[in-house]
Amino acid sequence: MKDKIICATTVPLSLDIFWNGMLKELSKKYEVVAVSSPERELDIVREREGVRTIAVSMSRHISLFNDCKSLWNLFRVFRKEKPRMVHSMTPKAGLLCMIAAWLARVPVRVHTFTGLVFPTATGFTKSVLMTTDWLTCACATHIIPEGEGVKNDLLNNGITKKPLKVLGYGNVRGIDLVRYDRTKEVEESAAKIRKDGVVTFVAVGRLVGDKGINEMVMAFDRLNKENPLTRLILVGPEERELDPLKQEVLDLISKSPAIEAVGMQSDVRPWFAASDVAILASYREGFPNVVIEAGAMGLPQIVTDINGAREIIEDGKNGIVIPSKNTDALYEAMKKMMNVEYRNFLAKESREMIACRYEQSFVRNCLYDFYDSIMN
């Protein structure tokens, strides 16, 4: 009889992203059940992975009544299913699932921290976030930080004293290097985007303040005034209700012909292939997959000195690492990337470094080996 494991995230979109293809592979050895909120993507996961799913509503935001209701429902699920292991990802699912699994006396309770919010929070909010992370760790038997930066933040801030294990080089998804390559199909799409003779910078992610978009746009505007043969492409949705950009930045994006905000794209590969440099100016990350994707596409990168990004990019080897929230540093890095020989030097190492550390099968095998060690 197979051991039963439950894999859980707050919303099924995260389940779809983090465990894409893995649930099907795990089901060869374990009885796998996926738990998440009742949304359309949960049906997609069930059909694609061929595993049983259970819908339990979980709110991403703090709501005492809803969170207590979710906790009770998760407890009932775990008591009924009697899994040997519960493995959660994403903050709210981690908190609720680890408490519920502890109450239900699930033997193996694993949580993966894909990122931490409290290091950049302040005041009462920071205290609440640190307390919830502490409680998650207290109820878990095993804790997986996605990278060394996340691990150090957990230890240095006293969130936990338990042993922490980074799997492989970090990252929970890995990357499909066959898909993320400059194939004929990708190059044909990129040709429609590319502008010859223009140095194109690209940023993929939400257009919000803590992604460093304000500083990036201001730095680029300065560069573009000095060298009009430059372009900035912003690939991602604008979220004005959560963390709005400054009005002057919104004005620049809408009025500057050198800045193109193309919105959310289902396939970012052509946008990478049509660009010369990728930028991640974020204030915080767990382990940014976008940096891995850009590297796999052979792009030199400018990233801020934050968790994850500084583990993927080595300054002067496959990109440039700069302080976060620093417009001047961004401008200087962009200006340096105008040198085609320097860009090509960095690009030579980009894909190879990603292939050595984050190839999908390697990342997945690290998790499978970890499961074997703790389940036995």
Side-chain angles (χ1 to χ4, degrees), residues 10 37 57-63 66-67 70 92 96:
T10 310
S37 295
S57 294
M58 288 178 271
S59 170
R60 294 175 66 181
H61 303 289
I62 296 174
S63 172
N66 289 331
D67 290 347
S70 300
K92 182 59 74 69
L96 297 177

Side-chain angles (χ1 to χ4, degrees), residues 41-323:
E41 288 82 4
L42 193 58
D43 296 331
I44 294 173
V45 170
R46 181 182 65 252
E47 294 171 6
R48 185 191 64 225
E49 303 292 328
V51 300
R52 190 158 55 92
T53 59
I54 299 174
V56 178
S57 294
M58 288 178 271
S59 170
R60 294 175 66 181
H61 303 289
I62 296 174
S63 172
L64 187 58
F65 174 77
N66 289 331
D67 290 347
C68 289
K69 184 178 178 181
S70 300
L71 180 62
W72 171 247
N73 289 333
L74 286 167
F75 171 73
R76 291 176 60 194
V77 168
F78 296 161
R79 283 292 298 269
K80 179 182 178 181
E81 294 292 329
K82 295 181 173 55
R84 176 154 178 78
M85 178 175 72
V86 171
H87 184 180
S88 60
M89 292 189 195
T90 69
K92 182 59 74 69
L95 175 65
L96 297 177
C97 287
M98 290 300 97
I99 296 175
W102 178 77
L103 291 171
R105 296 297 184 262
V106 176
V108 184
R109 306 180 296 276
V110 182
H111 179 65
T112 295
F113 281 96
T114 55
L116 298 170
V117 181
F118 76 79
T120 56
T122 57
F124 179 71
T125 300
K126 182 170 186 173
S127 298
V128 171
L129 292 170
M130 291 180 70
T131 300
T132 56
D133 285 345
W134 174 87
L135 190 54
T136 300
C137 291
C139 293
T141 57
H142 300 80
I143 303 158
I144 305 173
E146 193 174 12
E148 292 295 333
V150 175
K151 174 182 175 180
N152 292 335
D153 280 343
L154 289 170
L155 294 174
N156 295 339
N157 288 278
I159 304 300
T160 185
K161 294 182 179 178
K162 292 180 178 178
L164 304 181
K165 183 177 180 61
V166 176
L167 304 184
Y169 292 93
N171 190 245
V172 298
R173 289 170 55 187
I175 188 162
D176 183 348
L177 290 171
V178 174
R179 173 173 170 75
Y180 280 87
D181 198 359
R182 293 175 179 262
T183 63
K184 180 181 178 181
E185 175 192 5
V186 169
E187 287 294 346
E188 287 175 352
S189 297
K192 302 172 184 177
I193 304 168
R194 187 180 294 114
K195 289 185 178 180
D196 294 333
V198 176
V199 178
T200 299
F201 298 87
V202 64
V204 177
R206 293 177 298 118
L207 304 188
V208 293
D210 73 358
K211 291 294 184 181
I213 303 299
N214 289 315
E215 293 84 355
M216 185 194 309
V217 170
M218 297 298 289
F220 173 77
D221 182 59
R222 180 179 168 188
L223 178 72
N224 181 250
K225 287 175 180 176
E226 296 175 357
N227 192 332
L229 295 178
T230 52
R231 180 170 65 146
L232 174 63
I233 301 177
L234 303 173
V235 182
E238 185 181 340
E239 297 183 358
R240 295 195 180 194
E241 69 282 0
L242 293 178
D243 184 15
L245 300 177
K246 295 177 180 178
Q247 188 57 50
E248 61 180 316
V249 169
L250 291 171
D251 291 341
L252 279 172
I253 292 173
S254 64
K255 295 177 181 179
S256 174
I259 302 176
E260 300 175 28
V262 299
M264 187 78 172
Q265 298 292 319
S266 59
D267 187 357
V268 298
R269 295 174 300 165
W271 300 93
F272 283 136
S275 303
D276 299 291
V277 181
I279 303 176
L280 180 77
S282 185
Y283 299 170
R284 62 175 178 85
E285 296 285 340
F287 212 95
N289 286 294
V290 67
V291 178
I292 295 177
E293 292 168 357
M297 295 299 293
L299 281 182
Q301 301 186 62
I302 300 170
V303 303
T304 44
D305 189 11
I306 56 173
N307 286 345
R310 59 171 165 256
E311 297 168 52
I312 304 167
I313 301 300
E314 294 185 21
D315 189 47
K317 189 169 184 180
N318 59 341
I320 300 174
V321 182
I322 61 169

